[in-house]
Amino acid sequence: MGKIPCWVCSLSFLFLSFFVIEILGGQQAKVLGHFYKSKLKGNSGIDKSLFQAKGHGIKTTQKPYPQDGLKEEDRIVSLPGQPQVKFSQYGGFVTLNETAGRALYYYFVEAQHSKDYLPLLLWLNGGPGCSSLAYGAMQELGPFRVHSDGKTLYTNRFSWNHAANVLFLESPVGVGFSYSNTTSDYDKSGDRSTAAENYVFLVNWLERFPEYKNRDFYISGESYAGHYVPQLAHTILYHNNKSNKTIINLKGILVGNAVINDDTDQRGMYDFLASHAIISDHAANLLKQCDFSSNATTQSSECDAGSEEASKDILYISIYNIYAPSCFNSNLTAQPKKGSIVAVDPCSYNYVHAYLNRPEVQKALHANLTKLTHEWEPCSNVITGWSDSPSTIIPLLQESMASGLRVWIFSGDIDGLVSVTSTKYSINKMNLPVKTAWHPWFLNGEVSGYTEVYKGDLTFATVREAGHQVPSYQPARALSLIKHFLDGTPLPDTKRSKAENLVKLFQTLQKILDSVI
């Protein structure tokens, strides 16, 4: 298990014991939990102002570096232990700054069909400082999952490359295989620089893969990517407008269990835990005395007492999936256990860590470790500072909507860290008129969650029985959600679900008649 970055090691304001039990995605949620607490400290040094396009500290207008021949060099023939597939995959580094020696690592999988027509989708994980390769690609929406032997892979039949060409990015530098030869870069990470790095990456990557330059482009992510995604969208819109042309053909953004607004995120977390009988009423009442506003510098003794009591209440469960089983034996197995996409193995994090640290795997991924001074970890232990993090991202969501982008927010409804309650509170702060009232959405005749659509092209959707990493816990429902998002179609309501059932019934009857005839 990777170490927590040193910039959060000394933070102990709230819920440090939330994260004693680690299962799937634990490190990502753990880093986010610590980061939340650092923002509540008056001396955190974090800029809580709103994000601005200027002041990145990274030049985003430089010409792309030459990319000739690099696409074929990045082609992955096959990953070790991989089942046979019919789509192409690529992995490699994109240079951001030759002088500083800064480069980001990506992993890209073409769509399983219609790759020449389906959109390009970027996925970002959060942390901040956690790997989209470790989580998004290998544990959530990528085409493969890792067996318990840490050596072989099995197919994820609900991979999102059924709906799009999917690009995973390890960002910022210092995360995963992404690196800088200027070690001081690891002290300067923050929201603005991450947005700038991601933008420079995309401009150069599109030169390497020019067939996607005019393709519809969407940005998606979870957790602290609630900051990354709207900020990257803002940067793209800024440069498209400044140049008076479409540099990147951005069409929409999608964020799940996302950090949106500090005040409502924190209050919603406690209200969710109290309403699910996880923390006591006494602790919940004490926690009502907490001040989660961006200008808070100290907390009351009641708040401190409430947080201490609550931390004991949830000590033995997973905060990022309150009903998930625990991992009791993280050892790899000599022979792989039967892999399951629908029943999540709580120890799968350990299998991914072992797999991605295998030399033959890194070679196949074109992840040149001679550029790194540290072992690959799912969440960075070399990033030593985070300079800026706005207390709210709501203005950027509003900007995306005003610019005509499709904006969807989804929430796994059993995540206790960035809870569905938190997300509902944050959306309510936007005071948006309702276009389509709250109602269930369906898949295979079952309620898959609930959804509400607001004027301005904002859709909110819950995913039933999903934790912090929605595609891990509910892969079929997550795939249905992303398909509807990319198609720009509403999630299936009751009538549509019944119609689908009738179609299935007629298809079954037709098969029976055909067999009789």
Side-chain angles (χ1 to χ4, degrees):
M1 207 58 162
K3 296 179 180 178
I4 296 301
C6 62
W7 49 274
V8 294
C9 289
S10 62
L11 302 173
S12 58
F13 176 62
L14 296 172
F15 287 102
L16 295 190
S17 57
F18 267 13
F19 312 106
V20 172
I21 306 298
E22 295 182 0
I23 62 169
L24 171 65
Q27 193 78 346
Q28 179 180 220
K30 190 174 183 181
V31 171
L32 176 59
H34 282 287
F35 188 74
Y36 261 152
K37 311 314 170 274
S38 73
K39 292 182 73 172
L40 287 174
K41 281 184 168 285
N43 61 351
S44 66
I46 291 174
D47 176 9
K48 297 177 182 176
S49 64
L50 294 180
F51 181 83
Q52 299 293 332
K54 60 184 180 180
H56 290 137
I58 295 175
K59 190 175 182 180
T60 55
T61 55
Q62 66 186 32
K63 291 184 178 180
Y65 291 113
Q67 304 292 324
D68 295 344
L70 295 181
K71 174 183 174 181
E72 277 308 307
E73 289 183 14
D74 289 352
R75 183 184 293 274
I76 297 171
V77 177
S78 180
L79 294 173
Q82 171 202 303
Q84 187 174 359
V85 296
K86 295 182 179 179
F87 58 87
S88 296
Q89 51 187 331
Y90 300 83
F93 293 95
V94 170
T95 299
L96 307 179
N97 186 302
E98 286 184 342
T99 304
R102 237 182 357 249
L104 293 182
Y105 181 82
Y106 79 91
Y107 172 62
F108 174 58
V109 290
E110 289 182 343
Q112 302 210 23
H113 62 85
S114 308
K115 69 179 180 66
D116 295 330
Y117 305 100
L118 288 177
L120 175 64
L121 176 70
L122 173 68
W123 175 267
L124 301 169
N125 277 88
C130 293
S131 164
S132 300
L133 178 62
Y135 294 101
M138 290 296 179
Q139 297 181 68
E140 299 185 70
L141 55 124
F144 308 114
R145 297 279 177 86
V146 183
H147 273 300
S148 59
D149 60 358
K151 298 178 181 179
T152 56
L153 305 174
Y154 59 101
T155 301
N156 174 13
R157 65 181 185 275
F158 301 110
S159 172
W160 284 14
N161 74 329
H162 284 288
N165 301 279
V166 187
L167 176 60
F168 301 93
L169 177 62
E170 293 196 302
S171 170
V173 291
V175 174
F177 295 121
S178 298
Y179 69 92
S180 176
N181 291 332
T182 306
T183 54
S184 60
D185 283 346
Y186 300 142
D187 304 330
K188 301 173 183 176
S189 298
D191 282 20
R192 290 187 183 93
S193 62
T194 299
E197 286 180 1
N198 292 347
Y199 178 78
V200 173
F201 164 84
L202 281 173
V203 170
N204 281 274
W205 189 89
L206 288 170
E207 289 294 320
R208 191 175 299 187
F209 291 79
E211 62 269 33
Y212 293 100
K213 275 189 175 183
N214 298 316
R215 196 76 60 90
D216 287 354
F217 176 64
Y218 297 87
I219 316 171
S220 58
E222 71 188 13
S223 196
Y224 197 74
H227 279 222
Y228 292 162
V229 171
Q231 288 169 347
L232 178 55
H234 171 78
T235 306
I236 291 171
L237 292 171
Y238 172 81
H239 286 288
N240 283 354
N241 292 332
K242 187 177 180 180
S243 63
N244 200 29
K245 65 178 182 179
T246 301
I247 300 173
I248 297 175
N249 190 23
L250 179 62
K251 296 296 185 180
I253 61 174
L254 171 82
V255 290
N257 291 86
V259 178
I260 295 174
N261 185 71
D262 289 355
D263 185 359
T264 46
D265 286 348
Q266 293 287 312
R267 291 187 183 280
M269 176 179 70
Y270 293 127
D271 289 350
F272 176 89
L273 295 173
S275 66
H276 284 70
I278 290 173
I279 64 174
S280 68
D281 290 342
H282 182 253
N285 288 330
L286 290 173
L287 288 165
K288 294 183 186 299
Q289 307 304 313
C290 295
D291 182 0
F292 301 117
S293 62
S294 60
N295 58 1
T297 57
T298 59
Q299 297 294 334
S300 66
S301 58
E302 290 85 358
C303 176
D304 288 340
S307 62
E308 182 179 354
E309 183 175 335
S311 67
K312 295 176 182 177
D313 291 339
I314 73 162
L315 182 60
Y316 299 106
I317 68 166
S318 161
I319 188 64
Y320 32 91
N321 182 336
I322 59 174
Y323 302 127
S326 298
C327 173
F328 294 110
N329 185 358
S330 61
N331 294 331
L332 302 181
T333 61
Q335 297 296 323
K337 294 185 291 186
K338 184 178 180 181
S340 173
I341 298 299
V342 295
V344 177
D345 187 327
C347 302
S348 58
Y349 165 94
N350 301 281
Y351 314 152
V352 172
H353 184 272
Y355 184 79
L356 291 177
N357 271 297
R358 297 182 68 84
E360 63 271 28
V361 172
Q362 294 170 355
K363 182 178 180 181
L365 287 168
H366 308 128
N368 185 355
L369 284 191
T370 60
K371 299 288 187 180
L372 298 178
T373 58
H374 54 276
E375 183 185 33
W376 180 90
E377 292 289 351
C379 291
S380 177
N381 56 11
V382 299
I383 292 177
T384 56
W386 199 265
S387 60
D388 62 289
S389 176
S391 61
T392 183
I393 215 71
I394 287 175
L396 295 188
L397 294 175
Q398 293 170 326
E399 178 195 52
S400 291
M401 294 163 60
S403 299
L405 299 184
R406 187 178 305 148
V407 179
W408 281 35
I409 301 172
F410 66 94
S411 184
D413 63 7
I414 50 177
D415 174 23
L417 184 65
V418 187
S419 69
V420 63
T421 310
S422 300
T423 302
K424 289 173 69 177
Y425 286 176
S426 296
I427 292 174
N428 288 341
K429 285 186 71 71
M430 300 172 72
N431 295 315
L432 297 171
V434 173
K435 180 180 178 181
T436 304
W438 184 268
H439 65 277
W441 66 276
F442 291 79
L443 179 66
N444 298 327
E446 289 188 338
V447 173
S448 295
Y450 294 83
T451 183
E452 189 161 71
V453 183
Y454 304 88
K455 292 182 179 178
D457 205 12
L458 172 66
T459 294
F460 171 59
T462 72
V463 181
R464 193 161 68 95
E465 298 180 288
H468 194 63
Q469 286 87 11
V470 168
S472 294
Y473 295 108
Q474 291 296 330
R477 291 170 182 172
L479 179 58
S480 177
L481 185 143
I482 190 63
K483 282 184 174 179
H484 284 281
F485 166 72
L486 294 173
D487 290 342
T489 56
L491 289 166
D493 59 16
T494 307
K495 293 180 181 179
R496 188 171 291 106
S497 178
K498 287 180 179 178
E500 289 173 349
N501 289 337
L502 285 173
V503 169
K504 289 182 179 180
L505 176 61
F506 285 128
Q507 288 174 338
T508 301
L509 290 173
Q510 186 62 52
K511 288 180 180 179
I512 294 173
L513 288 173
D514 290 343
S515 65
V516 172
I517 294 172

